[in-house]
Each structure stands twice: as C-alpha cells, then as structure tokens.
Amino acid sequence: MLTQIINGRIFTPQGWLNEGSVLIRDGKILEVTNCDLALIGARMIDAKGMYIVPGFVCMHAHGGGGYDFTECTPEAFRTAVHTHLRYGATSIFPTLSSSPFDKLHQAAALCEQLMQEPGSPILGLHIEGPYLNPKMAGSQFSGLVKEIEEKEYRELIESTRCIRRWDASPELPGALEMARYLHDHGILVAASHTEAEYDGIKKAYEAGFTHAAHFYNAMPGFHKRREYKYEGTVESVYLTDGMTIELIADGIHLPSTILRLAYKLKGVEHTCLVTDALSCAATGSKESGDPHYIIDNGVCKLADRSALAGSIATSDVLVRTMVKAGIPLGDALRMSSETPARIMGVFDRKGSLQKDKDADILILDKELNIRAVWQAGRLVEEANTLFT
C-alpha cells in the first residue's frame, strides 16, 4: 500500500520543506516531493504541522527497557532494541561492554541471527573493550579489561560478519596492529577510555582509530606534569582533522558549553550524538537493578558517586538537549541521523529522507517529543500518539 505523509515540515538533505509530502511503499521512501495533493489510493497521514524527520541511528547503547545486551538472549536484545525504537532509534548497533570472548562470540551469533529478520533495525554489533586502559576504565570494568591478544580478536572477526565497530585504548601494546586489521575488515575503530596525548592520537588515527568514543568522558584534557603543560586526549582529537567524535548529549555527561564547543570545532559532519544507555534507560525506575550503580539526578553513577557510569537517555533526549544548548534543530537532527549513518557506513540506506532509502521516519511535535515512528515502513504502534 502507498502511504502519503502530508502537512508537516519535512527535513531533507537540502533543508526544510514546508509544503510537500513523503511517499512510502514496500518499506522504502518512494519520493519526497514538494507536492501535498492527495494521491488516489494512498493512505493519508496528517502530520498536523509537526516535524517529519529521518529516524535516528543509535551507534552506542548498552541496553534499555530493563535489559542489557551482555545478557545475550533473544529477549534481552529484542526488548532493548524495541525500547530505543519507541524513542526514534530506527537503526541500532547493540553495544557489548567489556566481556569475556566466549560471550562476545555468543553475542555475535545472536546478532547475526536477528539481523537476518526482514526489516530488522539491528545493523551490526558494537564491542567496547575488553582492551581498555585499566587506569581509565573505571571500577565498572573492574576485572573485565585485559591485554590485547591478536589470536582471540582475529578468531572472533573471522567467525562473523556482524561486527561493525570496536572500541579500544590506542596506547595499549598491540592496539595499532589491531586497528589496522579491523580497518582492513571495514570495522570502525574508536579510541575509548584512553589517556593518549597528541603523538599517540596521531599514530592511532593513521593506524585506523578514526573515531573517539564518548568524547570528553573517560579521557583527559589539558593538564600539567610538574611545571610543564601538555595537551590531553581531548585537544589531540580536536587537532586531528579527520577524526570523528560522539557526544553523550543527555544534558548531564557534558554541559551545554562543551556541547557547543565540540559542535563549533568539529562540525556537524564529524560529530554524532549517542546515548551510551544502560539497561535502566526508559524504564522509569529509580533503581538501577545493579548494586554497583545508582540512578541519581537523571543519570547512572557508580554507587559511591565517584564517577558517571552511563546514561538512561533515549535518542529523542539527545536532540532536545542540543537544541536547548543553542544548536539549530536541523544540525541536531543530522548529528542523530545522517552523521552516525555516514560514520557507520550505512548512509546509502539510512540517515536521511531520500528516494529509495528505507522508510525510517519520525514525526516530532513542537517540543521535539516523538509522536510517530515508522521503521522500514512499519508504524511502531507503541510509539504512536499522533492518531490518538
């Protein structure tokens, strides 16, 4: 059936289209047109003057809805993915935090299975760790970080085709060799939980570390050793022109001033927004479900309050946070859809409202709340308040 969405402000790669329509058929965008005349035989959707925008691409989330992806069960994966889908993440790369390799193999097998389902929002697996600098990993990864072993990561990569991103600390012995190997296999390599300074980041980028995970978090900035000043990881990433970054824009991990600074220096094309969400995201609970963590002031913290441990945000929160920080809505939307789609290599079918792309479409009201979600042309009923 042909579906026609009309009477809304449509966000296109060329900017906002104030009068027009989006046509959907067979899970694809048939056309984005400046004509809003009703087509014979089409199911009409009235956007009621709201925003019609591309679905968000979630490239860093550990869980949601009470489930963590490290549980490695179909129920955990499906529930967490659907939780984020309800809040606009029409594409997702489930994130496995530092885990033993038998669990990583298990997760990869499950991920491959779920990716085969028609119209699956799962586009691949994201691994964070276990090759992380113990000094920067924090107590949440206690006992779960290790030295790099070439044999084990090669065996995993050669056993599956679903891994699309791997985060590690570039200063670890063997990290640069690993990055070259992963890069040659088309896998995004991200610097994470690192204290690398400029020379280290420069060498890492040349080896294949082209992305910085949760920028500013779990990495040092400008600092002193004795009487001398040194650039930190943050300044080094800024100075590496081609390196992309991600921001946990939940309004708590980073203040609005830093969000604006990153946006100003790196730009829309090199900046994407992530939730880094934990299992307690979108549960409405005030308890984390894990004695090591607490939920306090809208964020997950270590139980002793010594550090932030993760987000409870969903993708729609990121856009609202950026707009409140003074970022134009269109740029906030691009950093949630187009830029992560480009970084993850799926922009050919995701990340923008264009002819022949997957019909991943959101309707947002004037307060930027989700009112309707289409994923691969399918209306997500649990997210739909447009027709009520």
Side-chain angles (χ1 to χ4, degrees):
M1 174 182 285
L2 179 65
T3 298
Q4 183 179 12
I5 307 175
I6 63 169
N7 190 25
R9 293 194 69 202
I10 305 169
F11 187 64
T12 75
Q14 293 74 40
W16 291 100
L17 182 61
N18 291 322
E19 293 182 3
S21 59
V22 180
L23 306 179
I24 307 170
R25 181 189 291 168
D26 298 330
K28 300 285 186 179
I29 296 174
L30 183 65
E31 194 66 78
V32 179
T33 173
N34 59 5
C35 176
D36 60 0
L37 296 177
L39 297 180
I40 296 174
R43 179 193 178 199
M44 300 296 296
I45 304 293
D46 183 358
K48 303 177 182 177
M50 300 182 196
Y51 301 112
I52 304 169
V53 305
F56 305 136
V57 177
C58 178
M59 59 182 282
H60 191 162
H62 295 274
Y67 289 87
D68 192 288
F69 291 119
T70 57
E71 296 175 51
C72 295
T73 66
E75 181 183 17
F77 265 65
R78 291 183 192 282
T79 303
V81 168
H82 193 75
T83 295
H84 287 284
L85 177 59
R86 285 166 38 215
Y87 293 94
T90 52
S91 302
I92 187 168
F93 295 84
T95 303
L96 265 287
S97 59
S98 253
S99 302
F101 267 77
D102 58 349
K103 180 159 287 189
L104 296 181
H105 280 274
Q106 184 182 356
L110 176 58
C111 187
E112 280 197 348
Q113 174 190 331
L114 297 177
M115 287 173 67
Q116 297 305 311
E117 297 178 354
S120 175
I122 301 175
L123 302 187
L125 195 65
H126 166 208
I127 298 174
E128 183 178 21
Y131 305 136
L132 301 176
N133 183 336
K135 182 178 175 182
M136 302 303 295
S139 61
Q140 69 263 44
F141 290 125
S142 178
L144 296 173
V145 299
K146 64 190 302 294
E147 296 178 351
I148 294 176
E149 293 185 32
E150 182 180 1
K151 181 175 183 292
E152 63 185 4
Y153 71 71
R154 279 179 174 262
E155 284 181 350
L156 178 58
I157 296 302
E158 291 166 10
S159 71
T160 180
R161 300 180 66 180
C162 76
I163 297 172
R164 307 309 309 151
R165 170 179 169 180
W166 200 318
D167 298 5
S169 302
E171 63 268 34
L172 295 182
L176 303 188
E177 292 79 7
M178 176 184 173
R180 293 186 188 99
Y181 174 82
L182 294 175
H183 183 75
D184 288 345
H185 284 74
I187 297 169
L188 177 73
V189 190
S192 182
H193 296 272
T194 175
E195 57 181 353
E197 295 177 358
Y198 182 68
D199 287 342
I201 288 295
K202 183 179 179 181
K203 291 177 182 177
Y205 179 72
E206 292 169 350
F209 279 93
T210 60
H211 187 70
H214 39 61
F215 192 50
Y216 277 95
N217 297 114
M219 62 181 64
F222 185 79
H223 59 280
K224 287 180 65 177
R225 287 197 292 269
R226 292 178 60 90
E227 68 270 36
Y228 298 106
K229 299 176 180 65
Y230 294 85
E231 76 290 339
T233 306
V234 169
E235 292 78 21
S236 302
V237 171
Y238 274 135
L239 288 168
T240 306
D241 290 340
M243 202 166 194
T244 55
I245 63 171
E246 64 187 33
L247 304 172
I248 305 176
D250 61 352
I252 301 167
H253 274 79
L254 298 171
S256 60
T257 49
I258 295 298
L259 295 175
R260 291 199 301 271
L261 178 64
Y263 163 78
K264 181 177 182 178
L265 295 184
K266 274 296 183 180
V268 175
E269 293 81 5
H270 289 82
T271 306
C272 65
L273 309 180
V274 300
T275 64
D276 198 7
L278 301 183
S279 61
C280 44
T283 62
S285 175
K286 295 184 179 180
E287 303 293 332
S288 70
D290 186 323
H292 295 95
Y293 308 114
I294 59 170
I295 298 176
D296 180 46
N297 193 32
V299 74
C300 209
K301 302 178 180 179
L302 298 183
D304 63 2
R305 289 181 167 82
S306 61
L308 300 179
S311 161
I312 61 172
T314 48
S315 294
D316 56 324
V317 172
L318 310 178
V319 173
R320 290 196 294 272
T321 299
M322 294 300 280
V323 171
K324 288 177 183 176
I327 309 303
L329 173 58
D331 285 350
L333 292 170
R334 288 180 64 195
M335 289 186 282
S336 296
S337 55
E338 175 188 328
T339 305
R342 289 186 186 277
I343 291 172
M344 297 304 297
V346 296
F347 189 64
D348 60 322
R349 61 191 189 277
K350 304 288 184 180
S352 64
L353 300 183
Q354 290 178 276
K355 179 181 172 63
D356 296 330
K357 287 196 172 186
D358 292 344
D360 294 347
I361 302 169
L362 313 177
I363 293 182
L364 309 180
D365 63 23
K366 298 303 180 182
E367 287 72 43
L368 306 180
N369 298 304
I370 300 288
R371 298 298 300 276
V373 176
W374 285 266
Q375 190 270 322
R378 178 182 62 87
L379 181 66
V380 179
E381 291 295 344
E382 297 89 338
N384 170 33
T385 61
L386 183 66
F387 314 121
T388 58

